[in-house]
Amino acid sequence: MKLLAKAAKQAQRAYFQRILVYRFTSDSSPLRKGPRSTGLECQWFCASSQEIFSTVRRLVEVRQNFINEEEENALFKELEPGLRKKRYEFDHWDDAIHGFRETERLQWGDVCEGVLRRVREVAFPKGSSLLGPVHVLDLDKAGYIKPHVDSVKVCLSSTVLCVVCTVLLFFMSVFVSFQFCGSTIAGLSLLSDSIMRLVPENNSAEWVKLLLSRRSLYILRDDARFKYTHEILKDEESFFSGQKVPRHRRISVICRNLPD
Ligand code: OGA
Ligand code: MN
């Protein structure tokens, strides 16, 4: 039974699209030491070189203050009771995320529904099909997301499926990729600023950083999703343009689309 529960959990995590890609960057590597002063920066975007700046800049977007405090409160109020019932998970050394709890949500109150409608309008091409449930990820202050590329295989809601189905589908998905996730991901950041770092899968010496300010919306499109790892830096590493960006507890509300 324990084994089954574990497998179900793994399947659920597979649903949330993670393939971990560990990179060989030690803590003393220059990659970990914040941006160099190359002038390759805007308010929320900085890069290790002109080349990666130009390539990635058109694939990513951060809209600061996308929601106001009232809307942030409304989202928090809807999410907090459910999240509080779960414990932060710290002990899975091989997981992509350290110090997190998560949920998904299909039904929202009016204010939140309005916010999500706006997210969909700005982030996704008109008429594109969206993944029904919205993914909610709550990172503890000590939590962080390691570099990974979202898996494009098997986009099925774990809520919709019973545990046994989830396990079966997980194993089936190894052989048959019958559903793919789309090319865009859009995330709201609640409660804290944070830094998202993207690194090309084929060149770990380059990077870009996005400053995800509290109440901002970020959008990653196309190659930014598939050819770069993304991560949310831990508090100790959370620097942008030489400035410390303190990481507190952070909740992200993430919308994804389905393929055309
Ligand atoms: C993920 C992820 C980013 C975020 O859940 O795969 O990368 O903003 N989340 O929480
Ligand atoms: Mn991800």
Coordinates of all heavy atoms in Angstrom, one line a residue, residues 152-211:
V152 N 7.1 17.3 -21.4 CA 6.0 17.6 -22.2 C 5.0 16.5 -22.4 O 4.0 16.6 -23.0 CB 6.4 18.0 -23.7 CG1 7.1 19.4 -23.6 CG2 7.3 17.0 -24.3
K153 N 5.4 15.4 -21.7 CA 4.5 14.2 -21.8 C 3.4 14.1 -20.8 O 3.5 14.5 -19.7 CB 5.4 13.0 -21.6 CG 6.2 12.7 -22.8 CD 7.0 11.4 -22.6 CE 8.1 11.3 -23.6 NZ 9.1 10.4 -23.2
V154 N 2.3 13.6 -21.3 CA 1.1 13.3 -20.4 C 0.7 14.4 -19.5 O 1.1 14.6 -18.4 CB 1.5 12.1 -19.5 CG1 0.2 11.6 -18.8 CG2 2.0 11.0 -20.4
C155 N -0.2 15.2 -20.0 CA -0.9 16.3 -19.3 C -2.2 15.8 -18.8 O -3.2 16.1 -19.4 CB -1.1 17.4 -20.3 SG 0.1 18.6 -20.3
L156 N -2.3 15.1 -17.7 CA -3.6 14.7 -17.2 C -3.8 15.1 -15.8 O -2.9 15.1 -15.0 CB -3.7 13.2 -17.3 CG -3.9 12.6 -18.7 CD1 -3.5 11.2 -18.8 CD2 -5.3 12.9 -19.2
S157 N -5.0 15.5 -15.5 CA -5.2 16.0 -14.1 C -5.2 14.9 -13.1 O -5.9 13.9 -13.2 CB -6.6 16.7 -14.1 OG -6.9 16.8 -12.8
S158 N -4.4 15.0 -12.1 CA -4.4 14.0 -11.1 C -5.6 13.9 -10.2 O -5.9 12.9 -9.6 CB -3.1 14.1 -10.2 OG -3.2 15.4 -9.6
T159 N -6.3 15.0 -10.2 CA -7.5 15.1 -9.4 C -8.6 14.2 -10.1 O -9.4 13.6 -9.4 CB -8.0 16.5 -9.2 OG1 -7.0 17.3 -8.7 CG2 -9.2 16.6 -8.3
V160 N -8.6 14.4 -11.4 CA -9.7 13.7 -12.1 C -9.5 12.2 -12.0 O -10.5 11.4 -12.1 CB -9.6 14.1 -13.6 CG1 -10.7 13.4 -14.4 CG2 -9.8 15.6 -13.7
L161 N -8.3 11.7 -11.9 CA -8.1 10.3 -11.9 C -7.9 9.7 -10.5 O -7.4 10.3 -9.6 CB -6.7 10.1 -12.7 CG -6.7 10.6 -14.1 CD1 -5.3 10.6 -14.6 CD2 -7.6 9.8 -15.0
C162 N -8.4 8.5 -10.4 CA -8.3 7.9 -9.1 C -6.8 7.4 -9.0 O -6.1 7.3 -10.0 CB -9.2 6.7 -8.9 SG -8.9 5.4 -10.0
V163 N -6.4 7.0 -7.8 CA -5.0 6.6 -7.6 C -4.6 5.5 -8.5 O -3.5 5.6 -9.2 CB -4.8 6.1 -6.1 CG1 -3.5 5.5 -5.9 CG2 -5.0 7.3 -5.2
V164 N -5.4 4.5 -8.6 CA -5.0 3.4 -9.5 C -4.8 3.8 -10.9 O -3.8 3.4 -11.6 CB -6.0 2.2 -9.4 CG1 -5.7 1.1 -10.4 CG2 -6.1 1.7 -8.0
C165 N -5.8 4.6 -11.4 CA -5.7 5.1 -12.8 C -4.4 5.9 -13.0 O -3.7 5.8 -14.0 CB -6.8 6.0 -13.1 SG -8.3 5.0 -13.4
T166 N -4.1 6.7 -11.9 CA -2.9 7.6 -12.0 C -1.7 6.7 -12.2 O -0.8 7.0 -13.0 CB -2.8 8.5 -10.8 OG1 -4.0 9.1 -10.5 CG2 -1.7 9.5 -11.0
V167 N -1.6 5.7 -11.4 CA -0.4 4.8 -11.4 C -0.4 4.1 -12.8 O 0.7 4.1 -13.5 CB -0.5 3.7 -10.3 CG1 0.6 2.7 -10.5 CG2 -0.5 4.4 -9.0
L168 N -1.5 3.6 -13.3 CA -1.5 3.0 -14.6 C -1.1 3.9 -15.7 O -0.3 3.6 -16.5 CB -2.9 2.5 -14.9 CG -3.3 1.1 -14.2 CD1 -4.8 0.8 -14.5 CD2 -2.4 0.0 -14.8
L169 N -1.6 5.1 -15.6 CA -1.3 6.1 -16.7 C 0.1 6.5 -16.6 O 0.8 6.7 -17.6 CB -2.2 7.3 -16.5 CG -3.6 7.1 -17.0 CD1 -4.5 8.2 -16.5 CD2 -3.7 7.0 -18.5
F170 N 0.7 6.6 -15.4 CA 2.1 6.9 -15.3 C 2.9 5.9 -16.0 O 3.8 6.2 -16.8 CB 2.5 7.0 -13.8 CG 3.9 7.2 -13.6 CD1 4.5 8.4 -13.9 CD2 4.7 6.1 -13.1 CE1 5.9 8.6 -13.7 CE2 6.1 6.3 -12.9 CZ 6.6 7.5 -13.2
F171 N 2.6 4.6 -15.8 CA 3.4 3.6 -16.4 C 3.2 3.5 -17.9 O 4.1 3.3 -18.7 CB 3.2 2.2 -15.8 CG 3.8 2.1 -14.4 CD1 3.0 2.0 -13.2 CD2 5.2 2.3 -14.2 CE1 3.6 2.0 -12.0 CE2 5.8 2.2 -13.0 CZ 5.0 2.1 -11.9
M172 N 1.9 3.7 -18.3 CA 1.6 3.8 -19.7 C 2.3 4.9 -20.4 O 2.8 4.7 -21.5 CB 0.1 4.0 -19.9 CG -0.8 2.8 -19.9 SD -2.5 3.2 -19.8 CE -2.7 3.9 -21.4
S173 N 2.5 6.0 -19.7 CA 3.1 7.2 -20.3 C 4.5 6.9 -20.7 O 5.1 7.6 -21.5 CB 3.0 8.4 -19.4 OG 3.9 8.2 -18.4
V174 N 5.1 6.0 -20.0 CA 6.5 5.6 -20.4 C 6.6 5.1 -21.8 O 7.5 5.4 -22.5 CB 7.1 4.6 -19.4 CG1 8.4 4.1 -19.8 CG2 7.1 5.2 -18.0
F175 N 5.5 4.4 -22.2 CA 5.5 3.8 -23.5 C 4.8 4.7 -24.6 O 5.2 4.7 -25.7 CB 4.9 2.4 -23.5 CG 5.6 1.5 -22.5 CD1 5.0 1.3 -21.3 CD2 6.8 1.0 -22.8 CE1 5.6 0.4 -20.4 CE2 7.5 0.2 -21.9 CZ 6.9 -0.1 -20.7
V176 N 3.7 5.3 -24.2 CA 2.9 6.0 -25.1 C 2.7 7.5 -24.7 O 2.2 7.7 -23.7 CB 1.5 5.4 -25.3 CG1 0.8 5.9 -26.5 CG2 1.5 3.9 -25.2
S177 N 3.1 8.4 -25.5 CA 2.9 9.8 -25.2 C 1.7 10.3 -25.9 O 1.7 10.7 -27.1 CB 4.1 10.6 -25.6 OG 5.2 10.2 -25.0
F178 N 0.5 10.1 -25.3 CA -0.7 10.4 -26.0 C -1.2 11.8 -25.8 O -2.2 12.2 -26.3 CB -1.8 9.4 -25.6 CG -1.9 9.2 -24.1 CD1 -2.8 10.1 -23.4 CD2 -1.2 8.3 -23.4 CE1 -2.9 9.9 -22.0 CE2 -1.3 8.2 -22.0 CZ -2.2 9.0 -21.3
Q179 N -0.6 12.6 -25.0 CA -1.0 13.9 -24.8 C 0.2 14.8 -24.5 O 1.1 14.4 -23.8 CB -2.0 14.0 -23.6 CG -2.4 15.3 -23.2 CD -3.7 15.7 -23.8 OE1 -4.7 15.1 -23.5 NE2 -3.7 16.6 -24.7
F180 N 0.3 15.9 -25.1 CA 1.4 16.8 -24.9 C 1.0 18.1 -24.3 O -0.1 18.6 -24.6 CB 2.2 17.0 -26.2 CG 2.8 15.8 -26.7 CD1 2.1 14.9 -27.4 CD2 4.2 15.5 -26.4 CE1 2.7 13.7 -27.9 CE2 4.8 14.4 -26.8 CZ 4.0 13.4 -27.6
C181 N 1.9 18.7 -23.5 CA 1.6 20.0 -23.0 C 2.0 21.1 -24.0 O 2.8 20.8 -24.9 CB 2.4 20.3 -21.7 SG 1.6 19.5 -20.3
G182 N 1.4 22.2 -23.9 CA 1.6 23.3 -24.9 C 2.9 24.0 -24.7 O 3.7 23.7 -23.8
S183 N 3.0 25.1 -25.4 CA 4.3 25.8 -25.5 C 4.4 26.9 -24.5 O 5.5 27.6 -24.5 CB 4.4 26.3 -26.9 OG 3.3 27.2 -27.2
T184 N 3.4 27.2 -23.8 CA 3.4 28.4 -22.9 C 3.1 28.1 -21.5 O 2.2 27.2 -21.2 CB 2.4 29.4 -23.4 OG1 2.7 29.7 -24.8 CG2 2.5 30.7 -22.7
I185 N 3.8 28.8 -20.6 CA 3.4 28.6 -19.2 C 3.4 30.1 -18.6 O 4.2 30.9 -19.0 CB 4.5 27.7 -18.4 CG1 4.1 27.5 -17.0 CG2 5.9 28.3 -18.5 CD1 4.9 26.5 -16.3
A186 N 2.4 30.3 -17.7 CA 2.3 31.7 -17.2 C 2.1 31.5 -15.7 O 1.2 30.8 -15.2 CB 1.1 32.4 -17.8
G187 N 2.9 32.3 -14.9 CA 2.8 32.1 -13.4 C 2.7 33.4 -12.7 O 3.4 34.4 -13.0
L188 N 1.8 33.5 -11.7 CA 1.7 34.6 -10.8 C 2.5 34.3 -9.6 O 2.5 33.2 -9.1 CB 0.2 34.8 -10.4 CG -0.8 35.3 -11.4 CD1 -2.2 35.1 -10.9 CD2 -0.5 36.7 -11.8
S189 N 3.2 35.3 -9.1 CA 4.0 35.1 -7.9 C 3.3 35.9 -6.7 O 3.2 37.1 -6.8 CB 5.4 35.7 -8.1 OG 6.1 35.0 -9.1
L190 N 3.0 35.2 -5.7 CA 2.4 35.8 -4.5 C 3.3 35.8 -3.3 O 4.2 34.9 -3.2 CB 1.1 35.0 -4.1 CG 0.1 34.6 -5.1 CD1 -1.1 33.9 -4.5 CD2 -0.4 35.8 -6.0
L191 N 3.2 36.7 -2.5 CA 3.8 36.8 -1.1 C 5.3 37.2 -1.1 O 5.8 37.7 -0.2 CB 3.7 35.5 -0.3 CG 2.3 34.9 -0.2 CD1 2.4 33.7 0.7 CD2 1.3 35.9 0.4
S192 N 6.1 36.9 -2.2 CA 7.5 37.2 -2.2 C 8.1 37.5 -3.6 O 7.6 36.9 -4.5 CB 8.3 36.0 -1.6 OG 9.6 36.2 -1.6
D193 N 9.1 38.3 -3.6 CA 9.9 38.4 -4.8 C 10.7 37.1 -4.9 O 11.0 36.4 -3.9 CB 10.9 39.6 -4.7 CG 10.2 40.9 -4.6 OD1 9.1 41.0 -4.9 OD2 10.9 41.9 -4.1
S194 N 11.2 36.8 -6.1 CA 12.1 35.7 -6.3 C 12.8 35.8 -7.6 O 12.5 36.7 -8.4 CB 11.3 34.3 -6.3 OG 10.4 34.3 -7.3
I195 N 13.8 35.0 -7.8 CA 14.6 35.0 -9.0 C 14.4 33.7 -9.7 O 14.6 32.6 -9.1 CB 16.1 35.2 -8.7 CG1 16.4 36.4 -7.9 CG2 16.9 35.2 -10.1 CD1 16.1 37.7 -8.5
M196 N 14.1 33.8 -11.0 CA 14.0 32.6 -11.8 C 15.3 32.6 -12.7 O 15.5 33.7 -13.4 CB 12.8 32.5 -12.7 CG 12.7 31.3 -13.6 SD 11.2 31.2 -14.5 CE 10.1 30.3 -13.4
R197 N 16.0 31.6 -12.8 CA 17.2 31.5 -13.6 C 17.0 30.5 -14.8 O 16.5 29.4 -14.5 CB 18.4 31.1 -12.8 CG 19.7 31.0 -13.7 CD 21.0 31.0 -12.9 NE 21.0 29.9 -11.9 CZ 21.9 29.8 -10.9 NH1 22.8 30.7 -10.8 NH2 21.9 28.8 -10.1
L198 N 17.3 30.9 -16.0 CA 17.2 29.9 -17.1 C 18.6 29.7 -17.6 O 19.4 30.7 -17.8 CB 16.3 30.5 -18.2 CG 14.8 30.4 -18.1 CD1 14.3 31.4 -17.1 CD2 14.1 30.6 -19.4
V199 N 18.9 28.4 -17.9 CA 20.2 28.1 -18.4 C 20.0 27.2 -19.6 O 19.2 26.2 -19.6 CB 21.0 27.3 -17.3 CG1 22.4 26.8 -17.9 CG2 21.3 28.2 -16.1
P200 N 20.8 27.5 -20.8 CA 20.6 26.6 -21.9 C 21.0 25.2 -21.6 O 22.0 25.0 -20.9 CB 21.6 27.2 -23.0 CG 22.0 28.5 -22.5 CD 21.7 28.5 -21.0
E201 N 20.2 24.2 -22.0 CA 20.6 22.8 -21.7 C 21.9 22.4 -22.3 O 22.6 21.6 -21.8 CB 19.5 21.9 -22.3 CG 18.3 21.7 -21.3 CD 17.6 20.4 -21.6 OE1 16.9 20.4 -22.6 OE2 17.8 19.5 -20.8
N202 N 22.3 23.1 -23.4 CA 23.5 22.7 -24.1 C 24.7 23.6 -23.8 O 25.7 23.5 -24.5 CB 23.3 22.6 -25.6 CG 22.8 24.0 -26.2 OD1 22.8 25.0 -25.4 ND2 22.5 24.0 -27.4
N203 N 24.5 24.5 -22.9 CA 25.6 25.4 -22.5 C 25.5 26.0 -21.1 O 24.9 27.0 -20.9 CB 25.7 26.5 -23.5 CG 26.9 27.5 -23.2 OD1 27.6 27.2 -22.3 ND2 27.0 28.5 -24.0
S204 N 26.0 25.2 -20.1 CA 25.7 25.6 -18.8 C 26.6 26.8 -18.3 O 26.5 27.2 -17.2 CB 26.0 24.4 -17.8 OG 27.4 24.1 -17.9
A205 N 27.3 27.4 -19.2 CA 28.1 28.6 -18.8 C 27.3 29.9 -19.0 O 27.6 30.9 -18.5 CB 29.4 28.7 -19.7
E206 N 26.2 29.8 -19.7 CA 25.3 31.0 -20.0 C 24.1 30.9 -19.1 O 23.6 29.8 -18.7 CB 24.9 31.0 -21.5 CG 26.0 31.1 -22.5 CD 26.5 32.5 -22.6 OE1 26.0 33.4 -21.9 OE2 27.4 32.7 -23.4
W207 N 23.5 32.1 -18.9 CA 22.3 32.1 -18.1 C 21.5 33.4 -18.3 O 22.1 34.4 -18.8 CB 22.6 32.0 -16.6 CG 23.7 32.9 -16.1 CD1 25.0 32.7 -15.9 CD2 23.5 34.3 -15.7 NE1 25.7 33.8 -15.5 CE2 24.8 34.8 -15.4 CE3 22.4 35.2 -15.7 CZ2 25.0 36.1 -15.0 CZ3 22.6 36.5 -15.2 CH2 23.9 36.9 -14.9
V208 N 20.2 33.4 -18.0 CA 19.5 34.7 -17.8 C 18.8 34.6 -16.5 O 18.5 33.5 -16.0 CB 18.5 35.0 -18.9 CG1 19.1 35.0 -20.3 CG2 17.3 34.0 -18.9
K209 N 18.5 35.7 -15.9 CA 17.8 35.7 -14.7 C 16.5 36.6 -14.9 O 16.6 37.7 -15.5 CB 18.6 36.3 -13.5 CG 19.6 35.4 -12.9 CD 20.3 36.0 -11.8 CE 21.3 35.1 -11.1 NZ 21.9 35.8 -10.0
L210 N 15.4 36.2 -14.3 CA 14.2 37.0 -14.3 C 13.9 37.4 -12.9 O 13.9 36.5 -12.0 CB 13.0 36.2 -14.9 CG 13.2 35.5 -16.2 CD1 11.9 34.8 -16.6 CD2 13.6 36.5 -17.3
L211 N 13.7 38.7 -12.7 CA 13.3 39.1 -11.4 C 11.7 39.0 -11.3 O 11.0 39.8 -12.0 CB 13.7 40.6 -11.1 CG 13.2 41.3 -9.9 CD1 13.6 40.5 -8.6 CD2 13.6 42.7 -9.8

